[in-house]
Amino acid sequence: MKEYTAMSPFGLNNNGTLIKHGGVFYTKMIEIIGTSLNPKAYFEIGTDAGVSLKAMKCASLAVDPQFQLTENVIGSKPSLHMFQIPSDDFFRDHSPIDYLKRPIELAFLDGMHRFEYLLRDFANTERYCRRNSVILLHDCLPTTIEMISRVHTHGAWAGDVWKVLPALRKYRPDLHITYLDCPPTGLVAITNLDPNSLTISDGYFSIAREFMGVDDKPLKEFYSRIALTKSADLQSHEEITKLFWL
Ligand SMILES: C[S@@+](CC[C@H](N)C(=O)[O-])C[C@H]1O[C@@H](n2cnc3c(N)ncnc32)[C@H](O)[C@@H]1O
């Protein structure tokens, strides 16, 4: 596996870009991972037009308060359940296993672009996974400071979901986290999950308080400490199963 340092520790490049993602586009990478791992149960938060959902062939469950489907998302799936409600409401009232009939094996979390929402989505999703399941996160490797505001004003918006990564590294060092250089804002793959872990749910309010007030400076420092994995090198089953094994 080839890795390289995400950016120099010197801060912004000349053009204001924090990091460059030169790899495989994120929806294509999700499709490649899905095809290679062949999960039996897929869960998604934040479906929008349905590009990633369409790519899955297994029993699937999707949650979005406002679906904007433009794709035939059912395709050859044996079952597809869709809940047009916010993810917090979904987890309050439902268990994914009731619909998928087994633990989630692959998940893609791309709902509300705020740190505390993604933290909850991660903790809630992990509860219904098994150890080797893979949870994919979008937008956590933003390329500019402009796109990480908590409120979307204009242009590309990743929000402050990137803070989930330093939070997980600090409070859940047991997780295996792979940072993929997928344009436009990275794709993060997390495995070695612990469905019984209460660390995030029990510590939620203090973790949320700790990271809520964090500004953009720690992002530059965070990038100097992680190594991106080249998504272009993850094209075969052989390469993908070096990192993930359902
Ligand atoms: C950036 S879009 C998702 C894009 C899609 N995953 C893709 O790759 O094309 C974010 C989606 O999150 C949904 N969303 C917003 N708040 C949410 C919430 N609280 N729970 C679940 N989904 C939410 C929005 O309706 C929107 O469809």
Side-chain angles (χ1 to χ4, degrees), residues 57-61 74 76-81 99-101:
K57 298 192 168 35
C58 60
S60 299
L61 171 59
I74 189 150
S76 59
K77 292 174 182 57
S79 71
L80 170 61
H81 292 82
Y99 305 98
L100 295 169
K101 306 297 178 201

Side-chain angles (χ1 to χ4, degrees), residues 26-27 44-52 63-68 85-88 108 110-113 117 121 138-139:
Y26 78 103
T27 46
E44 181 171 280
I45 296 176
T47 296
D48 198 38
V51 177
S52 44
V63 179
D64 193 312
Q66 204 169 4
F67 286 99
Q68 307 272 6
I85 52 177
S87 52
D88 286 327
F108 177 45
D110 191 15
M112 174 54 86
H113 288 183
Y117 282 76
D121 285 347
H138 190 217
D139 292 318

Side-chain angles (χ1 to χ4, degrees), residues 203-218:
Y204 172 74
F205 292 105
S206 68
I207 298 171
R209 245 194 331 272
E210 178 181 345
F211 284 88
M212 202 81 76
V214 162
D215 63 9
D216 53 72
K217 286 182 200 70

Side-chain angles (χ1 to χ4, degrees), residues 157-177:
W157 184 52
D160 67 344
V161 289
W162 69 272
K163 295 175 190 170
V164 165
L165 301 180
L168 292 180
R169 279 165 65 101
K170 178 170 179 183
Y171 291 102
R172 292 292 308 281
D174 52 316
L175 297 170
H176 293 176
I177 305 181

